[in-house]
Amino acid sequence: MGEKLSPSPVAAAETINTKHTKDKTKQRRNSKEEKQSSRKALKWQPPLQDGDQHDRKSVLTAYVLWLFGGVFGVHHFYLRQDRRAFIWWSTLGYFGIGWIAEILQIPSMVRDANDDPRFVEEFNAKLRTNRKPPFSTGRFLLAIMIGYWWGQMIMIAIPQAVFFGIDWGFLHWLIPFGVALGVWTVGNMGREKGVFWHCLLVSYGSYLSRYFIMDEAYWFTTMAFCCALAFDHFSKEWNLEVPKKKRLARRLATLTAAAVIYLSLWGCFVYFNGTITDSEGDEVPVHEALYNFLKSPWWTDLKQTLYDTVQFAKHHGWAEVWKQIIDSMDADGEQNAYKVLGISATASQNEINTLCRNLSKESHPDKVKDESKRRAAEERFMEIQQACEVLSKTRRKRRQRNKKSDEL
């Protein structure tokens, strides 16, 4: 009678199932609460604003820079958006389309740069609504375009012929890198970011399509599209890091280095693959034309002139060189006046006045009876009058110069 009865197997199984169901329900509830708490925790706090450390930007200044330098990205540089500034510079404001489209976006950009409370509130509302940045058609198309453009820049810079005994065709494997870099740069503008290796992996994977799609525009577009799609789907996330304020010199140095690389690609394209048309209509490669130019007599004479100029400057100074350059330019027309009147530069003012009177009488148009020759006579008369007027204005300078020559 005092023995405790053990539960039946059916009752034990029901108890286990009940506990298992309760555990699952509890896990779902905890998971849901964790998601809600993590969503609430996803919040961006602007840095503490210090007058010297966080200078505020002006909408008026941004609009002025947009108007006069927008195609070069000057307003983006002013708003500390260096990546966007370089993209705008390298594409002339998205070929003018992006420059025009930004006319209504400047105030929002300024609020972003200033961490304005209104912008912070709107941005945090986006964070609560979207776990990751939503899809943007404009940004997606821009990523495709920049990736396509930078890949093309690398391709056209690669020598098509053999140079220095080397076939440079292996450099075509750098094309996917350029595409991935362009897509990644666009994806990391503003409040969004993502890793580079997703773009790089997909770019090299889709690069193989060139062996199946013979049209260059198609496989380039395919590569840029796949790369942008991979970044948007796998890599894109909110950028909640507080941006570090970089010194102006460092920002300029970074952009200058990027610009040098970009312009070097253009230089390689022109030198290795560019052609010019000569006077007979034949196309000559630029590298051959440049080589022949450096061997030409004109370039040899120019080098000798530059060498003589440097040697002269060592003995007399660069100020004297500059003075001679100005004199040789004949800025005031004095040398031409001597040539028109047929007189020496050492002539006195009395000799010049006498010659001017005589030439004016001899060349007066009223003395010409033939109407066909009157026009030429009038031009000659005006030329003499202008020469005499020039020498009259430079009288003092000429007197001082002649005085120095007499002393020597």
Side-chain angles (χ1 to χ4, degrees), residues 78-373:
Y78 168 71
L79 297 175
R80 296 188 293 270
Q81 293 287 341
D82 293 350
R83 287 193 180 99
R84 193 186 295 265
F86 178 75
I87 289 175
W88 251 236
W89 173 82
S90 63
T91 59
L92 295 181
Y94 194 8
F95 303 106
I97 300 175
W99 176 69
I100 297 174
E102 287 181 335
I103 187 172
L104 300 178
Q105 301 176 6
I106 298 295
S108 176
M109 294 179 183
V110 174
R111 289 196 298 269
D112 184 356
N114 291 333
D115 295 327
D116 187 81
R118 176 182 171 186
F119 168 80
V120 174
E121 182 180 354
E122 294 174 352
F123 184 59
N124 284 325
K126 291 181 181 179
L127 295 179
R128 290 190 295 268
T129 306
N130 304 286
R131 294 294 301 165
K132 61 179 294 185
F135 178 80
S136 171
T137 303
R139 196 181 184 98
F140 185 76
L141 293 177
L142 179 62
I144 294 176
M145 193 277 293
I146 297 300
Y148 187 103
W149 179 254
W150 287 10
Q152 280 282 347
M153 287 301 305
I154 293 178
M155 188 179 72
I156 65 176
I158 299 173
Q160 297 177 358
V162 176
F163 278 90
F164 314 114
I166 301 175
D167 183 3
W168 300 94
F170 66 92
L171 292 179
H172 281 84
W173 285 97
L174 290 176
I175 294 175
F177 178 83
V179 174
L181 184 62
V183 172
W184 177 83
T185 303
V186 174
N188 280 263
M189 294 189 311
R191 301 290 177 173
E192 299 180 13
K193 67 175 183 177
V195 295
F196 179 62
W197 70 269
H198 284 146
C199 298
L200 193 64
L201 185 63
V202 174
S203 182
Y204 272 99
S206 57
Y207 176 69
L208 300 176
S209 64
R210 69 172 299 183
Y211 299 105
F212 305 97
I213 305 175
M214 298 306 171
D215 192 297
E216 178 184 303
Y218 287 156
W219 66 261
F220 244 109
T221 304
T222 300
M223 184 166 51
F225 176 82
C226 293
C227 189
L229 188 64
F231 181 89
D232 189 84
H233 187 72
F234 297 107
S235 183
K236 185 172 66 173
E237 61 181 349
W238 292 113
N239 184 9
L240 303 180
E241 299 177 0
V242 177
K244 296 180 180 179
K245 186 177 180 182
K246 300 178 182 179
R247 292 185 177 181
L248 180 62
R250 182 179 177 183
R251 294 173 59 201
L252 288 174
T254 303
L255 289 175
T256 301
V260 168
I261 295 174
Y262 182 79
L263 294 176
S264 298
L265 294 176
W266 275 110
C268 290
F269 162 68
V270 173
Y271 179 79
F272 292 114
N273 302 323
T275 59
I276 59 175
T277 304
D278 60 12
S279 58
E280 297 180 356
D282 297 329
E283 290 189 351
V284 181
V286 171
H287 60 273
E288 291 185 7
L290 183 60
Y291 176 80
N292 294 330
F293 168 74
L294 295 178
K295 297 294 183 180
S296 65
W298 187 90
W299 175 250
T300 303
D301 295 341
L302 178 61
K303 287 195 299 183
Q304 185 62 40
T305 302
L306 293 175
Y307 176 79
D308 294 340
T309 302
V310 172
Q311 296 301 318
F312 180 85
K314 288 181 179 179
H315 294 85
H316 301 87
W318 286 102
E320 186 65 24
V321 173
W322 177 252
K323 181 180 177 181
Q324 290 197 4
I325 292 175
I326 296 299
D327 292 342
S328 63
M329 291 173 60
D330 195 22
D332 51 15
E334 183 180 0
Q335 301 299 323
N336 183 60
Y338 290 135
K339 182 179 179 181
V340 170
L341 299 178
I343 194 173
S344 172
T346 59
S348 64
Q349 187 61 37
N350 292 331
E351 293 174 342
I352 294 175
N353 293 337
T354 302
L355 182 61
C356 286
R357 285 194 297 268
N358 295 335
L359 290 177
S360 297
K361 292 179 181 179
E362 295 174 1
S363 304
H364 201 282
D366 293 343
K367 293 185 176 182
V368 180
K369 304 300 182 182
D370 190 352
E371 292 295 334
S372 61
K373 297 180 180 180

Side-chain angles (χ1 to χ4, degrees), residues 332-335 337-338 341 343-353 356 387-406:
D332 51 15
E334 183 180 0
Q335 301 299 323
Y338 290 135
L341 299 178
I343 194 173
S344 172
T346 59
S348 64
Q349 187 61 37
N350 292 331
E351 293 174 342
I352 294 175
N353 293 337
C356 286
C388 293
E389 184 178 355
V390 167
L391 294 180
S392 178
K393 291 180 180 179
T394 59
R395 180 187 308 177
R396 180 181 300 177
K397 183 175 68 174
R398 188 170 56 257
R399 185 185 300 116
Q400 293 177 353
R401 186 172 61 244
N402 293 339
K403 184 178 180 180
K404 289 182 180 180
S405 61
D406 293 340

Side-chain angles (χ1 to χ4, degrees), residues 23-38:
D23 291 341
K24 279 189 173 181
T25 304
K26 188 176 181 180
Q27 288 177 359
R28 291 195 194 99
R29 189 183 300 113
N30 293 337
S31 176
K32 187 175 181 180
E33 290 176 355
E34 287 177 0
K35 289 182 179 179
Q36 291 177 351
S37 62
S38 63

